[in-house]
Amino acid sequence: MATMEELVIRYRESANSFLSRYEPIALVLAPPLALIAARVLHCLMCLIQDKGIKGVVLGFVMGFVRLVPGVSSYIESEKRKVVEKLQSGNKSKRDDWMTELPSVGLGRGVIEKLEDSKRKDVAWQGKCSGTVYIGGRESEGHFSLINEAYSMFSHTNPLHQDVFQSVARFEAEVVAMTAALLGSKEKTSGGQICGNMTSGGTESILLAVKTSRDYMRAKKGITKPEMIIAESAHSAYDKAAQYFNIKIRRVPVTKEFIADVKGIRRCINNNTILIIGSAPGYPHGVIDPIQELGVLASRYGVCLHVDLCLGGFVLPFARKLGYTIPPFDFSVKGVTSISTDVHKYGLAPKGTSIVLYRNHEIRKHQFVAVTEWSGGLYVSPTIAGSRPGGLIAGAWAAMVSLGLTGYLENTREIMESSKKIQKGIEEIPELFIIGKPDMTVIAFGSNTVNIFEVNDIMSSKGWHLNALQRPNSIHICVTLQHVPVYEEFLRDLKDSVKTVRENPGPITGGLAPVYGAAGKMPDRGMVHELLVEFMDSSC
């Protein structure tokens, strides 16, 4: 004991002797300054982790550059020019917009106004990537059927289940039928698949992320949630991260443009609540390795959401038709939630999607229940409170009217047309297909012509395709609207490539310079500002 006391005395004398060299004020300030330095270093490391060293350096450089007199105003001026270019004259179209109620209502005369406005819309029949998935004219066939179903229930609201019991039943049946398509009848699903209808794929994704966050907080006590997504994952996950205060870890895709399982595994930590797989991914139409992601999710005890917004009403039928489709649904162990849009290939009215969960234990974290409101007890299943019952009835009518045989026939037509379009693109020497499309989205780029200039020429011919980046490319999402016109699309695409090859350079009114500049702009913060400015001036 005496020896221990001697050691303590010796160390204390040694420490006091060492510290006596410094001023007392320095000793007092050193600990808080060290804490501040550690905090700054921690923030810098987090910033580097999120944006990379290049992004952080560029951010600092641009911040200093903007301090130079005149530079900030010049940048703002250039931004306005780009925004005006993106708007392409939209402001002039607003000159006759109504800004207040008419003094006397138009009554039935309003229908004429609606028809006049509708005639000014872009001609979308057969020439839009995605957008309209139903074939034929609006006034006939399936179009007419779902419009009639909607009108019958346009006054209903499933918030009032006691009043509109029919709509509540329709929603339950749509969810059950969709779940059956996506593995609920398989033993590996657990037999408890449940879910709700939402307003679209984005809301379905938002709810799945929010539910996963709250479920993992209850299960593991995670208070600083993170989710891991591939670069190809839909931008709705970024929206969810901003809304629900979740950190995103973004992983580059493989050379096949699918989620990198090894990269995702390296990002999993004690704060991970969710990993994402897409079937297929929106940009390139390729299916992520869902089975391998399921193994990861099971091993580390995290949630796995599968984005089937595009594929939910194609892949099950394509598999029945004999196409090679890798596992993607609740038959995969580890999948905890799925989102799928009925208003796409389900051919339901716009504004209908489904979010599904493996069991009720997970789904209960989606709901919001309020017990202390003076208005009474309140509970709501989705982000929206009131919901349009007409859309639910329209989705039910779409699914029940088509049935298995109808969906199989539609899938056969769009898959065959997609393969023909893919083959036709491959035969154009200047173009190459990105990845190996599994479904009805075909993305293509070029190493010899400016693909965005090709897109502008196609736009001048009435086609509306989607511009992509990393790499620069465009894609077409094939729908029933394209089945009768795919040959015209290939002819126009071949002619557009030829025009750009022989006369390179942007066309008047085209957006190729804007897309090209945005893709090359190293400061992504500047691109972010441009997008926000554009949206702020457009809505």
Side-chain angles (χ1 to χ4, degrees):
M1 182 66 70
T3 306
M4 180 63 69
E5 290 179 356
E6 289 174 0
L7 282 173
V8 171
I9 292 171
R10 189 181 306 163
Y11 280 125
R12 184 175 64 189
E13 289 175 349
S14 177
N16 287 334
S17 174
F18 175 77
L19 294 173
S20 66
R21 306 174 192 174
Y22 301 95
E23 293 289 332
I25 187 67
L27 297 177
V28 171
L29 291 177
L33 288 175
L35 286 173
I36 292 171
R39 179 63 178 168
V40 170
L41 183 61
H42 177 263
C43 290
L44 182 61
M45 293 303 295
C46 288
L47 201 60
I48 290 173
Q49 193 175 53
D50 286 343
K51 298 184 176 181
I53 295 176
K54 183 179 178 181
V56 171
V57 171
L58 278 170
F60 280 122
V61 170
M62 289 303 299
F64 282 118
V65 167
R66 286 174 182 245
L67 296 176
V68 177
V71 171
S72 185
S73 59
Y74 173 77
I75 291 175
E76 290 300 316
S77 173
E78 291 302 306
K79 275 167 52 180
R80 281 194 295 272
K81 291 178 183 177
V82 174
V83 169
E84 289 172 3
K85 180 74 171 175
L86 286 170
Q87 287 177 329
S88 299
N90 278 346
K91 286 185 177 180
S92 62
K93 297 176 184 177
R94 297 188 178 197
D95 293 342
D96 61 346
W97 283 18
M98 300 177 70
T99 57
E100 58 184 359
L101 284 171
S103 56
V104 178
L106 299 180
R108 290 289 302 175
V110 76
I111 299 299
E112 184 180 337
K113 286 280 188 183
L114 289 170
E115 290 174 344
D116 181 60
S117 292
K118 187 177 180 181
R119 279 193 293 269
K120 296 174 183 176
D121 283 345
V122 168
W124 50 263
Q125 290 83 352
K127 290 204 168 186
C128 287
S129 172
T131 312
V132 178
Y133 292 76
I134 303 171
R137 297 178 179 274
E138 296 169 87
S139 59
E140 60 188 26
H142 189 79
F143 259 125
S144 178
L145 183 144
I146 64 170
N147 288 340
E148 184 176 351
Y150 176 89
S151 66
M152 289 174 63
F153 292 86
S154 62
H155 61 287
T156 64
N157 180 359
L159 183 66
H160 306 287
Q161 291 190 26
D162 55 332
V163 179
F164 303 115
Q165 298 176 29
S166 57
V167 173
R169 172 192 165 186
F170 293 152
E171 177 174 12
E173 291 185 356
V174 167
V175 169
M177 289 187 289
T178 304
L181 288 175
L182 301 178
S184 70
K185 303 299 183 182
E186 302 290 334
K187 287 185 178 180
T188 50
S189 74
Q192 291 190 46
I193 307 302
C194 52
N196 293 91
M197 289 192 68
T198 72
S199 63
T202 293
E203 187 184 356
S204 292
I205 287 171
L206 289 175
L207 286 171
V209 172
K210 182 266 183 193
T211 302
S212 300
R213 181 198 67 178
D214 293 354
Y215 172 66
M216 292 298 285
R217 181 168 56 200
K219 183 180 178 182
K220 288 188 173 183
I222 296 175
T223 57
K224 294 182 178 179
E226 299 181 4
M227 64 177 169
I228 307 169
I229 68 175
E231 283 184 344
S232 55
H234 198 277
S235 52
Y237 297 101
D238 291 88
K239 183 180 283 189
Q242 291 184 35
Y243 283 4
F244 304 134
N245 195 28
I246 297 171
K247 181 177 180 179
I248 281 186
R249 291 187 179 272
R250 203 181 311 271
V251 178
V253 293
T254 68
K255 61 182 181 180
E256 290 84 21
F257 294 90
I258 60 175
D260 182 357
V261 177
K262 292 181 179 178
I264 289 173
R265 185 182 63 216
R266 286 193 293 268
C267 288
I268 295 176
N269 59 38
N270 291 333
N271 289 322
T272 302
I273 60 165
L274 179 67
I275 57 180
I276 306 298
S278 302
Y282 167 82
H284 311 119
V286 293
I287 298 175
D288 287 335
I290 305 301
Q291 203 158 29
E292 294 177 52
L293 293 176
V295 171
L296 270 189
S298 299
R299 181 187 304 166
Y300 291 96
V302 300
C303 294
L304 167 59
H305 179 75
V306 179
D307 181 356
L308 273 164
C309 289
L310 263 175
F313 282 83
V314 173
L315 297 179
F317 306 113
R319 186 162 53 189
K320 286 180 181 295
L321 290 169
Y323 288 93
T324 303
I325 305 293
F328 60 85
D329 57 17
F330 284 112
S331 63
V332 176
K333 182 183 177 182
V335 173
T336 53
S337 58
I338 285 175
S339 55
T340 186
D341 289 355
V342 201
H343 66 201
K344 289 190 173 75
Y345 292 103
L347 307 189
K350 287 299 180 184
T352 50
S353 179
I354 306 286
V355 59
L356 297 170
Y357 300 96
R358 182 168 288 274
N359 55 51
H360 293 271
E361 181 188 358
I362 300 172
R363 186 181 67 151
K364 70 181 181 181
H365 293 279
Q366 174 182 292
F367 305 150
V368 171
V370 181
T371 60
E372 306 305 312
W373 180 36
S374 59
L377 300 179
Y378 176 89
V379 62
S380 176
T382 61
I383 291 175
S386 293
R387 292 183 292 153
L391 290 177
I392 294 173
W396 183 90
M399 294 178 68
V400 173
S401 67
L402 289 168
L404 178 61
T405 55
Y407 281 118
L408 283 170
E409 178 59 23
N410 289 340
T411 301
R412 183 188 64 77
E413 289 186 358
I414 58 173
M415 287 294 287
E416 287 179 359
S417 296
S418 298
K419 298 304 178 186
K420 290 173 182 176
I421 288 175
Q422 181 178 339
K423 185 174 183 296
I425 293 172
E426 290 171 339
E427 291 174 352
I428 301 175
E430 294 84 358
L431 303 180
F432 60 85
I433 301 291
I434 294 177
K436 296 179 180 178
D438 289 302
M439 211 182 79
T440 54
V441 175
I442 303 113
F444 51 96
S446 177
N447 291 322
T448 56
V449 296
N450 186 320
I451 197 66
F452 295 137
E453 290 179 10
V454 172
N455 191 31
D456 282 343
I457 301 293
M458 289 292 284
S459 296
S460 70
K461 295 175 182 290
W463 296 96
H464 299 273
L465 308 179
N466 300 100
L468 313 173
Q469 60 178 354
R470 298 177 181 176
N472 288 348
S473 51
I474 54 181
H475 86 202
I476 180 171
C477 177
V478 181
T479 73
L480 288 171
Q481 288 284 333
H482 298 115
V483 172
V485 298
Y486 76 89
E487 291 177 325
E488 180 185 352
F489 169 79
L490 290 172
R491 281 196 304 270
D492 285 349
L493 180 60
K494 189 173 182 179
D495 288 343
S496 297
V497 170
K498 180 181 178 183
T499 298
V500 174
R501 186 186 68 236
E502 295 176 352
N503 301 282
I507 66 172
T508 303
L511 294 177
V514 175
Y515 286 129
K520 295 176 182 177
M521 208 176 280
D523 181 13
R524 306 313 289 173
M526 181 73 73
V527 180
H528 177 274
E529 291 175 14
L530 283 172
L531 291 176
V532 172
E533 290 281 348
F534 169 68
M535 183 53 63
D536 189 47
S537 61
S538 302
C539 65

